[in-house]
Amino acid sequence: MTRWTLIETWDASPTFAMGLDEALLRSVGAPPTLRLYSWAPDAISLGYFQSFADVAAAASHRSVVRRLTGGGAIHHHARELTFSVAIDADDPAYRGTVPRSYERAHGAVVAMLDQLGVPGARMRLN
């Protein structure tokens, strides 16, 4: 069984949070890592290919950062729990299609939450 690293960074500044995610992503050969974190202050994170000008709320928000991942803008509240997973691309968790990898990752998170007594639901991606 593969041994994972757990990193907790509570109340991380948005720039620190995204910088640590980038450092973990670039750590080729490191053990798989699950990071749990919260934001302080709240922030808007833009997807890698997203234009700042396309997000009206970004112009007036005090904290805007860019994620290395794609997707759209996300408003991160200071009380939310965020997680990231950094794992080598050749890890068995990536076998199969991208949607199936997401199902396995989210299934693992739901199982962990279930063990903590937090109800979760599994989603099937098409």
Side-chain angles (χ1 to χ4, degrees):
M1 175 178 231
T2 302
R3 194 161 177 88
W4 282 61
T5 299
L6 172 64
I7 299 174
E8 298 174 54
T9 54
W10 308 116
D11 297 331
S13 75
T15 53
F16 174 82
M18 294 300 92
L20 182 53
D21 273 356
E22 181 176 355
L24 291 170
L25 180 67
R26 296 181 188 280
S27 297
V28 177
T33 302
L34 170 64
R35 186 163 83 92
L36 303 173
Y37 60 103
S38 60
W39 299 74
D42 66 325
I44 293 175
S45 68
L46 303 178
Y48 186 77
F49 297 105
Q50 191 167 31
S51 169
F52 182 88
D54 290 340
V55 181
S60 61
H61 202 279
R62 67 182 179 154
S63 186
V64 180
V65 292
R66 182 165 306 284
R67 297 185 314 278
L68 281 180
T69 58
I74 300 172
H75 178 245
H76 300 279
H77 194 278
R79 292 186 313 246
E80 83 176 42
L81 170 65
T82 304
F83 75 93
S84 66
V85 173
I87 189 168
D88 280 343
D90 62 353
D91 190 278
Y94 280 120
R95 287 191 186 128
T97 65
V98 171
R100 298 304 160 249
S101 294
Y102 273 97
E103 285 177 358
R104 285 191 299 276
H106 291 137
V109 170
V110 168
M112 176 192 67
L113 291 172
D114 286 344
Q115 288 180 7
L116 296 172
V118 178
R122 297 185 196 282
M123 292 177 46
R124 178 115 175 115
L125 301 173
N126 294 328

